[in-house]
Amino acid sequence: MEKQSNLLGLHQLLTLEVSNSNKLIDLLGFVSFTDNLLVENQLEKVGNTSFVFENGSFTIAYCLKESHICIHTWPEINTLTMDVYLCNYSQDNSNRVRSIAKDFIAYFEANIVKQIEVER
């Protein structure tokens, strides 16, 4: 099989600064927002796992049929890191990755510290 240049998909890596750290300790709010975002984007959740630290910060990984979404929050420095990766096996999901990243930036009302886009 000949390798297609975009078959493996697009991966966005984000470091965001948030002025209101309350969302950085609100795992349930994040899960609700993300679950709705997955439905809106017709993405299939295989599962997710999370951990809440003593200070309320959290880490969560969503395993998707199409790949994954992961986040780690640091309320003590008003920062989060996140990655959004979707493969392009059944269709080109590149614009979907970009749209989802924008939706998370808006959800957190965040400023972009670093945003890296990797074509896999």
Side-chain angles (χ1 to χ4, degrees):
M1 178 175 155
E2 187 176 323
K3 182 179 174 185
Q4 297 176 13
S5 62
N6 68 345
L7 180 67
L8 297 178
L10 187 68
H11 196 166
Q12 276 214 9
L13 307 168
L14 302 159
T15 302
L16 304 176
E17 183 179 59
V18 179
S19 59
N20 180 356
S21 63
N22 288 333
K23 286 189 178 175
L24 299 177
I25 58 173
D26 182 9
L27 176 63
L28 295 179
F30 177 80
V31 167
S32 177
F33 178 81
T34 303
D35 285 346
N36 288 330
L37 197 59
L38 296 178
V39 170
E40 288 172 18
N41 284 279
Q42 300 175 344
L43 297 171
E44 187 176 334
K45 180 172 73 170
V46 175
N48 66 304
T49 188
S50 63
F51 183 81
V52 177
F53 296 91
E54 289 177 8
N55 67 349
S57 63
F58 61 89
T59 184
I60 185 168
Y62 276 82
C63 183
L64 308 175
K65 178 180 164 190
E66 301 80 7
S67 199
H68 68 270
I69 296 171
C70 298
I71 184 174
H72 308 277
T73 68
W74 286 274
E76 64 273 18
I77 56 171
N78 294 335
T79 302
L80 67 93
T81 58
M82 165 176 269
D83 64 283
V84 179
Y85 175 38
L86 299 177
C87 75
N88 289 338
Y89 184 77
S90 59
Q91 66 182 0
D92 186 348
N93 284 311
S94 299
N95 287 333
R96 194 174 284 171
V97 169
R98 292 179 185 107
S99 175
I100 290 169
K102 284 180 186 178
D103 288 340
F104 280 123
I105 292 165
Y107 170 77
F108 284 104
E109 303 173 47
N111 295 316
I112 300 168
V113 174
K114 188 178 280 189
Q115 185 172 22
I116 299 169
E117 203 168 85
V118 179
E119 289 187 27
R120 294 291 182 187

